[in-house]
Amino acid sequence: MIRRITICSFLLIWSIAFAQPVPKTMKAIVAHEYGGPDVLKFEEVPVPEPKENEILVRVIASGVNPADPLILNGKYAKEFGTHLPLILGYDMAGVVVKTGAKVTKLKVGDPVYAYLLWGGGWAEYCISNETESAIKPKSLSFAEASAVPLAALTAWQAFDLGKLQSGQTVLIHGGSGGVGSFAIQIAKARDARVIATASTANQDFLKQLGADIAIDYTKQKFEEIAHDVDFVLDPVGRDTLARSYGVVKKGGWVVTIISRCDEAELKRHEIHGASLSSHPNSVELAEITKLIDAGKIKPIVTQVLPLPEAAKADGQAETHHTRGKIVLKIGEEPKT
């Protein structure tokens, strides 16, 4: 009886500690029209209310992705189902402050991170759910954790799609970027041989991530070095994708996350190909968490900016030449 009371008391104290009053309004980065970084406004908006299957999270950090400028300019408004006013932010790390009645796996006080399907992470509070969110890796800060979900899940799902196996060789284009840097590490965790491309300044970085062969695309043609690979991961598109079909062995895979595969080229080379649109998956994110806490994967955060500087971060993401990830710092980390 005493033990039960002690446990109940602990849970009560834990819930009270994190059940801080949720304000009615919050600061957020809002776009009321499609366009460039200049349409992003730092505003006061209502705090969203979670539905019965949702959670409300106090956001501590949110990642910035190359897809953000594309969504902001409205190019993919129909494809992504976006609507105005728009709050970007598809990566998030924070603390659960409220749960809907049907939420069973997560509770108030849980440190979580998520790939938010509908965005909303560039704000002090956001809505998520149990299919998007997983418990944050213990070995990472919230800022580091917020750099993980979208990019890591994209690489993870690409390799699953192409059935990457131990001992196979994978060519990863843009290896120093958000998706590429995770792809190298995940491929090595799956015991694959990795060839990766990047600019001159990032050659040592590719090696540090685990690449077996680093190719400087400004000085070398990757097709002169990479031959008969089992898998190509393409986050670049255009000419890079067009030249990639010829380096894949028969029966191999090309997965692009930025373009569409040329069916005629796939047929001519007798290879498989797919265009991947990644999606939230809390189960896969939990598997990535295990690899992170085991020291096999680490996020690369090159810059942390305050939320009001989101326009600057979006402009940098638009260049597609950022090493690793940019993160927006939004709230204070909980004291332990």
Side-chain angles (χ1 to χ4, degrees), residues 225-266:
I225 300 172
H227 305 284
D228 293 325
V229 303
D230 298 281
F231 191 106
V232 172
L233 177 58
D234 166 53
V236 180
R238 302 183 298 277
D239 179 60
T240 298
L241 175 59
R243 291 158 50 207
S244 293
Y245 302 115
V247 306
V248 183
K249 65 173 59 174
K250 290 183 180 181
W253 275 84
V254 174
V255 175
T256 177
I257 64 172
I258 196 70
S259 187
R260 293 175 184 259
C261 287
D262 186 323
E263 293 297 329
E265 286 295 299
L266 295 176

Side-chain angles (χ1 to χ4, degrees), residues 82-139:
T82 59
H83 60 275
L84 298 171
L86 173 66
I87 298 178
L88 294 171
Y90 298 87
D91 280 322
M92 172 277 295
V95 177
V96 178
V97 294
K98 194 172 184 178
T99 62
K102 291 187 177 180
V103 173
T104 59
K105 298 177 183 177
L106 297 172
K107 63 183 183 302
V108 172
D110 279 346
V112 296
Y113 70 151
Y115 172 178
L116 303 173
L117 180 61
W118 303 111
W122 291 6
E124 292 179 317
Y125 292 87
C126 76
I127 294 294
S128 186
N129 58 57
E130 293 181 314
T131 64
E132 295 177 341
S133 295
I135 297 297
K136 179 188 77 68
K138 295 179 180 179
S139 59

